[in-house]
Structure formats: structure tokens, C-alpha cells
Amino acid sequence: MLAADLADCLDVLDDAGGKEIEFHRLPQWLGGSHGSAIDSGGDVITLSSGFSVTFPQGAVDQPLSVSVEETKLPAPLPGDITASSPVYKIDANNIKLAVPATITFPATGIDPSTQEGEVGIYRWDGTQWTFAGGGLKDNNISASVDRFSVFMIG
């Protein structure tokens, strides 16, 4: 699969005849980070870890460059919160979405006996960790958000 994806990329470069090309979507096989241009039609960005960001139709009114990457905690967590997932940074140039996007974490690091409401998604707002929401369903935890930052399950 990797060879085929690389061959496709080389074909695109060859067809461009030396012109500069802007790639909006990175191949899935690149792993822990992903960049994309989202337009008013919506889109989904999914990392190889299973973490995803779903942009519904109408979330933006003009193309928006979005990057998603695994990162480290930007600040210590409050004493009553323990990180139960990797930490992800979503960068969208501080744009507030017209229609909220859905961020989804696979619940692979969560104890199977965990009940609804015992875990949730937390967002770093630049000064403190805030609860962003989160419902546990089908071995995933999801929340709707209209702004992006750093997120993790706690």
C-alpha cells in the first residue's frame, strides 16, 4: 500500500510539469499528524490512531487549513483528572466554527467497566483545562466543539 501511495504522489508531481503543487491532504500512512483544507461541504480528518475530527457541512464558509497532531500536555492536569489517552493538538487558526465539529477518541485506554459520565474530553483553553463534554459509545468517546486547542480524555 505504501508503494502504491508513493507512486500516486510521484505521478501527480510528474503531471504537474514543474509547477508548484499544494497538497491539502496528507496520505494516511504518514502516521501521527495530518493536515487538511476543510471547505463548506465538510470533511473528516482521521489519524492512524483512530482519533478523528468530523466537520459537518456548513462548519466553515471558506476553505480552512486544519492540522491535527499528537502532542504533550501543555500544562499539568488538575489533581482530580488523570490522562487516559494520547493528547492531540488541533490547529485551525483560532477560527470559531459556525457549526460544531465532533472530535472522537478511541476508548482503547479506558477500563471496560467505566460507566457513562466517569470520563470525558478535556480541552486546554490557554490558561486551564475545561470539560469539553464526551459521551462513551461503541468504544469511542466523542464531543462537539466549536473551537480547537489541545484535547485529551480524562
Side-chain angles (χ1 to χ4, degrees), residues 2-152:
L2 176 60
D5 288 337
L6 185 54
D8 288 345
C9 288
L10 292 175
D11 286 343
V12 170
L13 290 172
D14 188 44
D15 291 345
K19 296 178 184 174
E20 185 175 320
I21 298 174
E22 181 178 346
F23 286 97
H24 292 286
R25 183 170 303 281
L26 298 174
Q28 190 67 26
W29 48 265
L30 285 179
S33 65
H34 194 85
S36 189
I38 306 301
D39 62 26
S40 62
D43 206 347
V44 178
I45 298 174
T46 304
L47 299 185
S48 58
S49 65
F51 177 81
S52 67
V53 184
T54 302
F55 294 85
Q57 185 174 352
V60 297
D61 58 1
Q62 59 187 359
L64 175 66
S65 179
V66 179
S67 66
V68 181
E69 65 182 341
E70 190 170 332
T71 189
K72 295 180 181 180
L73 290 172
L77 295 169
D80 60 337
I81 301 173
T82 301
S84 301
S85 72
V87 179
Y88 293 98
K89 179 181 180 185
I90 306 170
D91 186 7
N93 300 319
N94 294 320
I95 299 295
K96 182 176 181 185
L97 301 174
V99 178
T102 302
I103 58 172
T104 302
F105 284 82
T108 52
I110 306 298
D111 183 331
S113 66
T114 300
Q115 299 297 311
E116 183 76 31
E118 291 181 339
V119 296
I121 297 174
Y122 288 84
R123 175 184 179 270
W124 175 249
D125 70 6
T127 58
Q128 66 182 354
W129 288 99
T130 59
F131 183 71
L136 180 60
K137 181 179 178 185
D138 299 328
N139 208 31
N140 289 305
I141 298 177
S142 299
S144 294
V145 297
D146 62 2
R147 291 192 182 273
F148 296 114
S149 180
V150 176
F151 296 90
M152 60 95 196

